[in-house]
Amino acid sequence: MPTVKDIRQQAGEEPITMLTAYDAPTAAVVDDAGVDMILVGDSMGNTALGYDTTLPVTVDEIASTTGAVSRATEDALVVADMPFLSFGADEAAAIENCGRMLKEEDADAVKLECGPHTVELTERLTNLGIPVMAHLGLTPQHVNQLGGFFRQGTDQDAAQAMLELAEQHEEAGAFSLVLEHVPANVAADITDALDIPTIGIGAGPDTDGQVLVVNDILGLSERTPPFSEQFGDVKGEMERAVEDYRDAVESGEFPAEEHSHVEEGVENLY
Ligand code: KIV
């Protein structure tokens, strides 16, 4: 099982793989495939809970899903994504919420959507023994401030500010950095500037690793971002299975003899 130290040391070596998971069976498949890290993403808001954004996701929802994912995972490093307002407002509350993921739900690390307000918190959490994965670029918890899910770091000043924040989080102890929806050249420069690994999503080929939302790669999402890729058609397979079940019940083919048991010792009841 990789530790956060192993992941740190993978920077510039083997590409690091990460996928999200929101339940135990999916986590088991991702883990068995040898993916390095499983992110219990707050993207569960859109992908699993039926919300339009990640904002309504609660600490309890991330916690119980992290528990399910951890129980199904033998090898991968499990990272709990801290939801909107579970950190950043009050330090003690943030420590309690993040600590709960390790203490009660067996996560190995937490991820924070970052800004200037998370530098000190990253240091505090790291000092307390809670490994932090930082996240810069498009941070969907800021959708109301950003005005949409747009690419970030698209001018010199914004790219420079992103690099500085990345360096501050590295300095504060983050063990890795997610870069979401940023120009490939900006992500490449940030990757070069840091010792810790960068994990890109919509950030081009030059980050140390890649992460995608599992529902998107499986073909389960209604809408996918332009930087994602569908690697399977699980929705099509689910539709086929559910329709076959419905047809089998309606036609009387199911249940068949092998699905039923007759208790010979029970007399006719009427
Ligand atoms: O919530 C999530 O799934 C994420 C990834 C897209 C990095 O934050």
Side-chain angles (χ1 to χ4, degrees), residues 18 20 22 39-44 54 81 111 113 135 140 178 180 201 211-213:
M18 181 160 86
T20 64
Y22 317 106
L39 174 66
V40 183
D42 67 348
S43 50
M44 76 169 67
T54 59
D81 197 9
K111 177 170 83 61
E113 290 194 11
H135 179 164
V178 168
E180 179 166 355
I201 172 164
V211 55
L212 283 176
V213 165

Side-chain angles (χ1 to χ4, degrees), residues 53-224:
T53 70
T54 59
L55 302 194
V57 176
T58 64
V59 174
D60 285 346
E61 284 165 342
I62 292 283
S64 74
T65 308
T66 299
V69 166
S70 298
R71 288 189 287 278
T73 301
E74 282 177 12
D75 293 320
L77 191 99
V78 175
V79 182
D81 197 9
M82 298 311 296
F84 183 51
L85 299 186
S86 66
F87 62 96
D90 175 68
E91 190 185 71
I95 292 168
E96 191 178 324
N97 290 332
C98 294
R100 177 176 167 193
M101 301 303 158
L102 274 71
K103 241 173 124 89
E104 295 174 19
E105 309 299 347
D106 212 17
D108 300 299
V110 298
K111 177 170 83 61
L112 305 179
E113 290 194 11
C114 290
H117 63 296
T118 52
V119 177
E120 267 179 40
L121 179 61
T122 297
E123 185 165 11
R124 185 94 168 95
L125 291 170
T126 306
N127 286 340
L128 286 168
I130 302 173
V132 173
M133 173 181 279
H135 179 164
L136 291 170
L138 173 60
T139 46
Q141 291 172 16
H142 292 88
V143 60
N144 289 308
Q145 209 159 13
L146 299 172
F149 299 99
F150 306 120
R151 187 178 288 116
Q152 301 295 308
T154 52
D155 62 49
Q156 197 64 35
D157 288 349
Q160 191 64 40
M162 200 185 297
L163 169 62
E164 280 161 25
L165 270 179
E167 288 173 333
Q168 286 166 19
H169 282 84
E170 173 174 79
E171 179 81 4
F175 76 95
S176 61
L177 170 70
V178 168
L179 287 172
E180 179 166 355
H181 211 6
V182 304
N185 54 321
V186 172
D189 284 351
I190 293 176
T191 301
D192 281 348
L194 300 184
D195 289 330
I196 58 170
T198 55
I199 317 291
I201 172 164
D206 294 323
T207 51
D208 296 298
Q210 298 289 330
V211 55
L212 283 176
V213 165
V214 75
N215 287 36
D216 295 348
I217 70 150
L218 295 178
L220 277 168
S221 303
E222 290 294 324
R223 280 170 288 129
T224 52

